[in-house]
Amino acid sequence: KSDGSEVVVKVQYPSVRRTFYVDMSCIKTVVGLLEPSLQPIFVELRKQFLTEFDYRGEAQNLTDVAQLVLPAWQDSIAMPTPILELCSEDVLTMTCLQGEKLETVMRREWARLGFDP
């Protein structure tokens, strides 16, 4: 950022959408041949996956989750904040947080408790 603070930038590869469309077209053909009754489910899944290609939506989800989670858990966890003016459909820019990922801490705790995640 212009103030010198570190950020994390997630950039979507240009070919990701094209690859997705090709893969989904192939899967749709196979589903249509093998089990036509699954076509409506497939169409809905495709719609849901398409929302993942717009990082502005991911930025909004981060904001929404933070508003729900942080009031109760702010002493225990930290969440990156999207920098909306630096986000676009293909780029997600967030504050940089130091420390362990939540997933790492959870896996360690599960292992300590004897669970095999």
Side-chain angles (χ1 to χ4, degrees):
K1 269 176 63 169
S2 61
D3 66 3
S5 57
E6 289 186 46
V7 297
V8 174
V9 180
K10 180 178 177 181
V11 179
Q12 188 176 114
Y13 287 101
S15 63
V16 167
R17 281 191 193 147
R18 185 175 49 83
T19 301
F20 172 80
Y21 285 119
V22 169
D23 290 349
M24 291 305 272
S25 178
C26 291
I27 294 169
K28 182 179 180 185
T29 300
V30 171
V31 167
L33 292 171
L34 297 178
E35 191 56 60
S37 66
L38 294 178
Q39 285 285 12
I41 295 169
F42 176 80
V43 169
E44 187 57 35
L45 283 172
R46 183 177 179 270
K47 278 190 231 174
Q48 293 303 314
F49 274 113
L50 286 173
T51 64
E52 297 295 319
F53 290 118
D54 189 344
Y55 285 169
R56 293 171 297 199
E58 189 170 339
Q60 185 60 55
N61 288 341
L62 275 170
T63 301
D64 293 345
V65 169
Q67 289 173 349
L68 293 170
V69 171
L70 291 181
W73 294 92
Q74 64 188 356
D75 294 335
S76 303
I77 65 167
M79 294 180 65
T81 303
I83 304 167
L84 297 178
E85 64 272 15
L86 300 176
C87 293
S88 69
E89 186 174 0
D90 302 315
V91 177
L92 174 63
T93 307
M94 305 168 280
T95 55
C96 181
L97 299 177
Q98 301 301 319
E100 291 184 285
K101 291 173 58 175
L102 179 60
E103 177 184 0
T104 303
V105 173
M106 290 177 69
R107 287 184 184 277
R108 186 173 54 240
E109 185 63 16
W110 289 337
R112 186 184 72 75
L113 296 171
F115 293 105
D116 184 18

